[in-house]
Amino acid sequence: MNEWPDGRSDRQSGAGRGGYGRGSGSTRPEGVRAMPHVQRPVPQQQPPPPYDGGGYNPSYDDGYNTGQVYGQPGGRGRGSGFDDGGDYGPPTGRPVRPPNWGKRIKRTVLAVVVVVVVASVGTYFWADSKLHRDVDLSKVIDRPEAGDGTNYLIVGTDSREGMTSEDKKKLHTGSAEGKRTDTMMILHVGSSGDTLVSLPRDSNVEIPSYKGAESGKTYPATGRQTKLNAAYAEDGPTLLVRTVESNTGLHIDHYAEIGFGGFASIVDAVGGVDMNLKEGFKDKWSGADFQKGEQTLDGQQALAFVRTRHAFAQSDLQRTKNQQQFLGALAHKVSSPGTVLNPFTLYPTMGAGLDSLTVDKDMSLWSLGKMFLAMKAANGGDGKSMNMPTSGSVGGNLLWDKAKVKQLVDQFNNDEKVTVSSD
């Protein structure tokens, strides 16, 4: 009689081999009956929460015992450090939000703008604090009326202030006491184009009545005539401005002055200035020794270039032309993207310039910036550079052509395009 359910025989159950179960040496106990395996359906219900009333629910099965984590069988699960592309979510079952790149980009742009604004404001106040506003144009008396546009008087002096003996030897400046003007220019900035007019240092002028910059005493006019650079040597910037205004009838709005050392420092800070010389020349007085063609001038060479006059037949007139050419190239280099966008070049250049620049009390950084850009424009585009028109000489001093000077000043005051020529 077959006592196994489902029609199994002793052979099928393993009893025929003399034991209970596979590998057993004993016989099947009496009365033992194997129950059939019944597959019951799993009820469809939500799994119990992992926590029950604040305590851990031991009946909660999170799937780790089966290898199934938050998703498809065999998935690595969220937080495992791998990502196989499965759409896995947190235990709550909520989908992961994709990153909002638009918002991230806006935040990044905003952060960059804030940094740029803060840096710009900081740079402005830093630069403004370094500007030497030492010239008081309110001390200039009997001034002509101001016209349209803005007129700058730009002065380069032979000041050796702050220079060591080694610097003086290297730059061929000598060791003379005090300071004199080697360069004087009027820069007119207007809507009809920017014009740069060089005033030769040997120009013959009349010293007018003036108020002493230090003494405050008024000195009457005596009809004394002398070289233009003597006015600066006698009583500094305010007498120079008074003399230029009296002899031209043009109102000077702003004054800017730089010395030998400062000029060379600016050129070195900007990395040198490229020049294309039509002719080579030498001058033992300034230390100039140049070959024809393209070359990059450092601070020492640049100073020699703008100071040289003994090597030229036209002497001071040729020197003023060289000064205009170089200042235009320098302004172009300073305002180039390679300088403005490079803080490692911009800040040393600004520092060198501001440390050595003396301006009037009303000069703003905005006005100073306009001056440099106008110097660049005057040597190209719609601008114009020229010498003050002359008509002969007296006692070795150059005489200005009064008719042309009056026409030039009228065009400045009316902000008209300059048609006057220095030839």
Side-chain angles (χ1 to χ4, degrees), residues 332-348:
H332 186 275
K333 183 68 174 289
V334 171
S335 60
S336 67
T339 300
V340 175
L341 299 179
N342 184 354
F344 297 101
T345 303
L346 175 63
Y347 286 99

Side-chain angles (χ1 to χ4, degrees), residues 25 27 57 65 70 95 99 103 108 110 138 162 235 336 353 370 389:
T27 59
N57 186 348
N65 59 338
Y70 305 147
K103 183 178 293 186
T108 302
L110 179 60
S138 67
D235 201 53
S336 67
K370 287 177 62 179

Side-chain angles (χ1 to χ4, degrees), residues 189-340:
V189 180
S191 58
S192 297
D194 304 320
T195 304
L196 186 64
V197 182
S198 290
L199 311 176
R201 56 174 285 178
D202 296 336
S203 297
N204 191 80
V205 295
E206 181 179 334
I207 301 297
S209 61
Y210 67 95
K211 186 177 182 179
E214 298 295 335
S215 66
K217 178 182 177 180
T218 299
Y219 298 87
T222 60
R224 175 167 56 102
Q225 296 188 349
T226 185
K227 293 180 179 181
L228 179 60
N229 68 336
Y232 183 95
E234 185 172 331
D235 201 53
T238 53
L239 178 55
L240 178 61
V241 171
R242 169 76 177 122
T243 302
V244 169
E245 289 187 341
S246 176
N247 284 264
T248 62
L250 182 69
H251 180 91
I252 300 298
D253 299 291
H254 291 296
Y255 177 90
E257 172 190 316
I258 192 168
F260 278 167
F263 178 81
S265 296
I266 292 174
V267 175
D268 285 334
V270 82
V273 176
D274 297 331
M275 297 289 292
N276 188 2
L277 306 185
K278 296 181 179 180
E279 299 292 340
F281 58 87
K282 294 183 179 181
D283 180 23
K284 67 177 182 179
W285 301 101
S286 65
D289 186 3
F290 298 107
Q291 302 296 321
K292 177 183 178 180
E294 297 182 358
Q295 52 205 288
T296 300
L297 275 57
D298 60 19
Q300 176 185 349
Q301 295 169 320
L303 187 59
F305 180 79
V306 300
R307 291 183 60 215
T308 299
R309 62 172 177 151
H310 296 287
F312 309 122
Q314 289 187 302
S315 187
D316 203 40
L317 292 178
Q318 181 60 45
R319 176 168 69 170
T320 57
K321 293 179 181 179
N322 288 346
Q323 290 171 349
Q324 291 173 353
Q325 181 185 7
F326 185 85
L327 290 177
L330 176 60
H332 186 275
K333 183 68 174 289
V334 171
S335 60
S336 67
T339 300
V340 175

Side-chain angles (χ1 to χ4, degrees), residues 335-379:
S335 60
S336 67
T339 300
V340 175
L341 299 179
N342 184 354
F344 297 101
T345 303
L346 175 63
Y347 286 99
T349 302
M350 291 179 63
L354 295 172
D355 281 340
S356 55
L357 195 64
T358 299
V359 298
D360 64 273
K361 293 185 179 297
D362 295 326
M363 178 81 84
S364 66
L365 286 178
W366 176 255
S367 297
L368 187 62
K370 287 177 62 179
M371 183 188 81
F372 278 106
L373 292 176
M375 288 171 60
K376 172 184 174 182
N379 286 274

